[in-house]
Amino acid sequence: MMAHPALLDALVAVRRHLGRGLVGAIAALGVLHVLAVVTASFWRTATPSVRSTIGAWLHLDSEAGLGTWFAVVQLALAAVIAALIARAQRGRGASWLGWAGAATLLAVMSMDEQVLLHESLGLVGSRLGVTVGGQQVWFVPALVLVLAVGIALLPFVVRLPRRTRRGLLGGGALYLLGAVGFEALSWVWVVVIADDPAAALSPVVGMLQLGEETLELLAVTVVIATLLDYAAESVRVDSTTAPPAPGAHVPGHDKAVAASHARG
């Protein structure tokens, strides 16, 4: 049987409950985000400190908010699962470097949620002459970076089982749609349509940010479910094909031995 860490065994056993719990938590965070947007835009009698406090805690785009910390933990969990799969694959002599690379990528994404490494891509892009309408935009250099990472991981991805490959690619596409697509829409609204930096605080941008962050969180949920389904399938396949360990009880084995002695 595949060398399977106890933590991964436990996660595989509760993967359905974990998936439903993550989706429920994302829905709750979305409701809280809408509450923050409504409070900031329409609760005129609220003091600025009340509005800023609610926004800081409940807005999904807030660095100190519940949504950000949820995203950090969610991506870290995905990284841990991928690392455990890499360890298990290495333990049975199978290919594991791709899984280690996936774990590293997910860990970096988890850190980025808190320290906003991607924001520096706008500065890098502007120094290379990559701007949109004379403005720094991080999502254009990000697309180039994503393409490079995708090419590097392509040999690993194409060797995966079809169901796993579809799940990871689907989750990645959903994440990009939220992180890059909706971010670009917000930029278009603020810079091109409204032509006013204050529009970044408008309800329209608030709803676009809801779409962005929700898609990202759902995408990571898809990735986690895909990783755990892969781990569960690997356990099932290995446990049915591997020879029994010395001293292990095999159903029917004792009867077969007794019948053999009787015939002898």
Side-chain angles (χ1 to χ4, degrees), residues 163-221:
R163 181 181 177 186
T164 305
R165 183 170 61 249
R166 286 180 175 177
L168 294 181
L169 290 177
L174 196 63
Y175 194 92
L176 286 177
L177 176 61
V180 179
F182 273 77
E183 178 78 17
L185 289 176
S186 296
W187 181 88
V188 168
W189 176 263
V190 174
V191 176
V192 178
I193 298 177
D195 193 20
D196 181 6
L201 302 176
S202 68
V204 173
V205 173
M207 291 300 100
L208 288 173
Q209 289 169 334
L210 173 64
E212 173 188 346
E213 302 296 336
T214 301
L215 285 177
E216 290 180 17
L217 296 176
L218 288 175
V220 179
T221 301

Side-chain angles (χ1 to χ4, degrees), residues 1-2 4 229-242:
M1 183 174 177
M2 178 171 155
H4 224 240
D229 282 344
Y230 174 84
E233 184 66 15
S234 297
V235 171
R236 187 186 67 80
V237 170
D238 288 345
S239 63
T240 57
T241 58

Side-chain angles (χ1 to χ4, degrees), residues 8-260:
L8 188 54
D9 278 335
L11 290 170
V12 166
V14 300
R15 65 188 186 280
R16 304 303 179 209
H17 299 291
L18 177 62
R20 287 192 288 268
L22 289 174
V23 171
I26 293 168
L29 289 171
V31 171
L32 294 176
H33 174 87
V34 172
L35 176 62
V37 171
V38 170
T39 299
S41 303
F42 304 109
W43 190 7
R44 302 301 181 187
T45 59
T47 63
S49 62
V50 169
R51 277 189 259 178
S52 62
T53 300
I54 292 177
W57 277 97
L58 305 185
H59 201 289
L60 284 172
D61 200 47
S62 171
E63 297 176 29
L66 296 174
T68 296
W69 285 107
F70 182 86
V72 169
V73 173
Q74 190 189 32
L75 281 163
L77 174 61
V80 168
I81 295 171
L84 291 174
I85 292 176
R87 175 186 171 188
Q89 293 286 79
R90 186 179 183 183
R92 63 172 186 161
S95 177
W96 61 276
L97 286 177
W99 288 112
T104 302
L105 175 62
L106 290 165
V108 171
M109 291 171 64
S110 176
M111 291 186 292
D112 178 60
E113 284 291 333
Q114 187 60 45
V115 300
L116 301 179
L117 296 172
H118 67 272
E119 297 290 351
S120 62
L121 292 175
L123 179 59
V124 173
S126 65
R127 288 183 176 178
L128 296 175
V130 180
T131 60
V132 178
Q135 300 285 329
Q136 288 186 13
V137 288
W138 68 265
F139 51 82
V140 175
L143 287 175
V144 178
L145 181 60
V146 167
L147 180 61
V149 172
I151 292 173
L153 290 177
L154 185 60
F156 159 68
V157 173
V158 297
R159 289 195 301 266
L160 293 172
R162 183 171 63 176
R163 181 181 177 186
T164 305
R165 183 170 61 249
R166 286 180 175 177
L168 294 181
L169 290 177
L174 196 63
Y175 194 92
L176 286 177
L177 176 61
V180 179
F182 273 77
E183 178 78 17
L185 289 176
S186 296
W187 181 88
V188 168
W189 176 263
V190 174
V191 176
V192 178
I193 298 177
D195 193 20
D196 181 6
L201 302 176
S202 68
V204 173
V205 173
M207 291 300 100
L208 288 173
Q209 289 169 334
L210 173 64
E212 173 188 346
E213 302 296 336
T214 301
L215 285 177
E216 290 180 17
L217 296 176
L218 288 175
V220 179
T221 301
V222 170
V223 169
I224 289 174
T226 301
L227 293 177
L228 291 177
D229 282 344
Y230 174 84
E233 184 66 15
S234 297
V235 171
R236 187 186 67 80
V237 170
D238 288 345
S239 63
T240 57
T241 58
H249 174 70
V250 179
H253 177 71
D254 294 339
K255 291 183 179 179
V257 172
S260 176

